[in-house]
């Protein structure tokens, strides 16, 4: 079976930004408010951080639950892992997710400054400097026949789109949120229609799901 490179549940504002400016340890999304952006997913029954019973069902819940389906590895940009730039000053920093990261697969972090791999629970982080096609090959080998998730941020997704390596994308647009500046995925989803089919599915939660697959 063909292994796919998939973008899943990537959230952008109505003006196309995945994160704001001024990323820091305390604010992984910069000046943007992730609580507002991801409210649709946090309200679902399948949200992994849910501590109380209940939650919504329907399309939002299905897509939240599908996040890990047949995923064997993840690729992410360095600044999804850490707010630091340049050479690593602190190898003790192990990401924003604590001792139980939500990935449960090998994760390949794109960086020009490599560091030793490490494992937390059932997630192993590898730090790699390479072209998208090379990193994707490593991730597919680690995925052992399963698909690879391209986790973001926006600049990393654009890098793999520009290399024509992405097979499917699910982008959740929060039309009520305007960020104005930061890390932008697109000015309009129509930018991708030369290479992808697109279904646009509004949800009762207010988010609009954009589902792309290769032509």
């Amino acid at each position: 079976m063909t292994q796919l490179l998939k973008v899943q549940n990537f959230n952008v504002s109505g003006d196309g930004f995945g994160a704001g400016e001024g990323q820091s340890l305390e604010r992984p999304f910069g000046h943007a408010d992730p609580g507002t952006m991801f409210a649709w997913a946090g309200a679902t029954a399948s949200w992994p951080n849910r501590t109380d019973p209940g939650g919504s069902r329907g399309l939002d819940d299905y897509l939240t639950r599908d996040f890990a389906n047949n995923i064997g590895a993840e690729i992410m940009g360095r600044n999804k892992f850490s707010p630091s730039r340049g050479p690593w000053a602190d190898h003790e920093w192990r990401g924003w997710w604590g001792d139980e990261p939500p990935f449960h697969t090998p994760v390949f972090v794109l960086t020009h400054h490599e560091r030793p791999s490490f494992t937390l629970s059932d997630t192993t982080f590898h730090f790699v400097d390479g072209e998208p096609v090379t990193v994707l090959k490593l991730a597919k080998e680690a995925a052992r026949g399963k698909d690879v998730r391209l986790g973001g941020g926006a600049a990393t997704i654009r890098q793999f789109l520009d290399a024509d390596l992405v097979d499917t994308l699910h982008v959740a647009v929060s039309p009520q949120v305007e960020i104005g500046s930061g890390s932008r995925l697109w000015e309009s989803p129509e930018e991708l229609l030369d290479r992808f089919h697109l279904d646009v599915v509004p949800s009762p939660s207010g988010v609009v799901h954009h589902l792309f697959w290769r032509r």
Side-chain angles (χ1 to χ4, degrees), residues 26 33 42 63 69 78 122 133 137 139 161 165 167 169 178 198:
E26 295 75 22
D33 178 9
L63 290 168
N69 182 37
R78 172 170 173 171
D122 56 356
V133 67
K137 182 179 179 181
L161 282 170
L165 296 173
D167 296 299
L169 301 88
E178 298 287 323
L198 168 62

Side-chain angles (χ1 to χ4, degrees), residues 42-57:
T44 65
S46 298
W47 181 244
N49 295 330
R50 174 171 292 283
T51 57
D52 57 323
S56 67
R57 294 292 184 178

Side-chain angles (χ1 to χ4, degrees), residues 153-174:
T156 298
I157 293 174
R158 290 301 314 204
Q159 187 178 2
F160 280 78
L161 282 170
D162 291 345
D164 199 26
L165 296 173
V166 178
D167 296 299
T168 69
L169 301 88
H170 163 226
V171 180
V173 179
S174 299

Side-chain angles (χ1 to χ4, degrees), residues 67-110:
F67 181 72
N69 182 37
N70 199 45
I71 296 296
E74 167 145 343
I75 298 169
M76 69 172 64
R78 172 170 173 171
N79 295 128
K80 181 177 175 179
F81 177 83
S82 165
S84 65
R85 273 71 172 168
W88 297 95
D90 181 10
H91 282 199
E92 296 302 313
W93 169 256
R94 296 193 166 195
W96 275 291
W97 305 282
D99 293 332
E100 297 284 341
F103 308 107
H104 312 296
T105 66
V107 174
F108 294 84
V109 181
L110 298 176

Side-chain angles (χ1 to χ4, degrees), residues 10 14-15 28-30 100 105 113 128 132 139 142 155 170 173 180 188 198 214:
F10 190 76
D15 52 353
F29 288 82
E100 297 284 341
T105 66
H113 301 276
V128 293
H170 163 226
V173 179
S188 167
L198 168 62
R214 273 187 182 273

